[in-house]
Amino acid sequence: MRATAQLMDERVAALSTQARGAVQARDWATVERSAEALVAVAPGHPEGHFLAGLAHKAATRPLKAIAAFELALELDPTRYDAAVELAGQYSFARRNGESAALLDRYVGQLVNSPRYLDMAATTYTEIGLPERAWPLYCKAVELQPEIDLFQGNKAACAVYVGELEEAKSIYQRLLASRPAHQRNHYYLARLGRAVDDGHLRQMQQQLERGNLPPEQNVFLYYAIGKELEDLERWDEAFDYYRAAGDAVMRVAQYDIQADLALIDRIIGTCDAGWVGTEGGSAETAGRAPHTPVFIVGLPRTGTTLTERILCSHSRVESLGETQFLQMVIRRESGVHSVEPMTPEMISAAAGKDIRRIADGYLEAVAYRLGDRPLFIDKLPYNFLFLGFIAKAWPDARIIHVSRHPMDSCFAMYKQVFTWAYKFSYSLDHLARYYVAYRRLLDHWRATLGERLVEVEYERLVSDPEAETRRLLAALGLDFEEACLHFERNRSASTTASSVQVREKIHDRSVGRWRHFRTQLEPLRHALEQAGIAVD
């Protein structure tokens, strides 16, 4: 009996060693075969299920990975590696609350594992909790300072939590050893205004040495353009911005008609009659202890500035930018598509019980909520879903932030974005989308009336106290001096404006587009032809 057990232990050890070697080699087929053999030999041993989870994770099979990691953890609750891997898969599946709870339970066991410290910190960041990630990244780097990945992750988190000098120092060290790392050049360029051409020349030299196709130079193009603009070399800057946008468009496979059709469907579906119909939303809102404040608008229009002003108030907290509203609308629609949102999803979701959308969203954000009565969700893209917001929460605050059309479009044109804003890489697409966006905004004004609180970026930066008082009054909040000093707010920010929110309010960006008037003439003409005043 003892001999049989010993043979089984030896077999388990041999298969585990084989699989672990395959993990290092990223030979996932061998990992999967070894895991299957391990489970067959010892189904009650956590190792086989853990290795199966790694194989499913590599193959992007999140449901199977979750099941495997859950079983491994059930068989051995001390396996912090399974816990951290499982938390990452929960995050991938947008089960963020479960992810946060699991990490909180196991983080104390990670003190001697730099790999899993870094992995746990990355998951914390993904679920919107970079302040919990920061000490873990610091510890991982302390244990293994020679690992560039750990250093780079720490630098990115340093920006989110306001440790800008630390981030700058790390990126400079990383670039000293790996000068060809384009994203690190881009991240370093974002950390402050260039005052000389030292870093600029390094990037231009790297561009020449690399001799890469344009689509592989996107981050370097944007970084060079940004520093040229800082140095007021306007024409050169625009050439690089245009090169970046053109490079993205070569590989984006983007059809603007899909975005325009989505806006058309929203306007046709979410009208005043639909928003005003009874759906039980008052019952949902009445039992919720927290009231949402949605800040929306096009990106780069001042939504983050507005958020920071408001979350400096004692009665307001911010969740930053979350994808939960769209996630719940998509899920409740029952429509399956590779696209994140489609006209069919809008039509289907509009016919469902609005309480399911309201409850699903509040359940998704619950892990982030503190004890303040108002919480902000600041995702610009949510301007598409204002009808669902108004119908789901009669007491929700809805804030729309706008900016001069040309400044708004140009600010988007020179920024790297994710899937949601593919229209921003072409001046023609920008013009067409902006016209559709303005049509949607007019629809929301007519549909929502006074429920839509509007903020103009130019007025906010020119007279911040008066505009802040007006905004707070519109939200039913008393004025607090802290709102005028949002740069002192130490809470994390993970938006594209995470550097700017550490500065005092300024108007340097107002009228910025005029330095590029000649290059932006096609955009200006297209907007004017559509009846949008730009001067």
Side-chain angles (χ1 to χ4, degrees), residues 100-101 104 107 121 124 129-137 161 367-368:
D104 289 348
V107 72
Y124 268 136
L129 297 169
E131 64 281 358
R132 298 188 198 177
W134 175 242
L136 306 189
Y137 280 134
V161 299
Y367 77 103
R368 295 282 306 278

Side-chain angles (χ1 to χ4, degrees), residues 21 104 106 140 160 175 204 240 325 359 402 474 533:
D104 289 348
Y106 280 88
Y160 300 150
L175 287 168
Q204 290 175 321
Y240 280 98
L325 181 61
D359 290 344
S402 62

Side-chain angles (χ1 to χ4, degrees), residues 372-408:
R372 299 188 181 189
L374 300 180
F375 71 90
I376 294 171
D377 188 329
K378 187 213 78 73
L379 185 68
Y381 190 71
N382 280 339
F383 71 79
L384 294 173
F385 310 125
L386 296 190
F388 287 95
I389 292 170
K391 189 177 179 69
W393 296 283
D395 58 345
R397 276 68 160 178
I398 304 172
I399 300 170
H400 177 269
V401 186
S402 62
R403 187 178 179 185
H404 186 283
M406 293 297 289
D407 273 334
S408 178

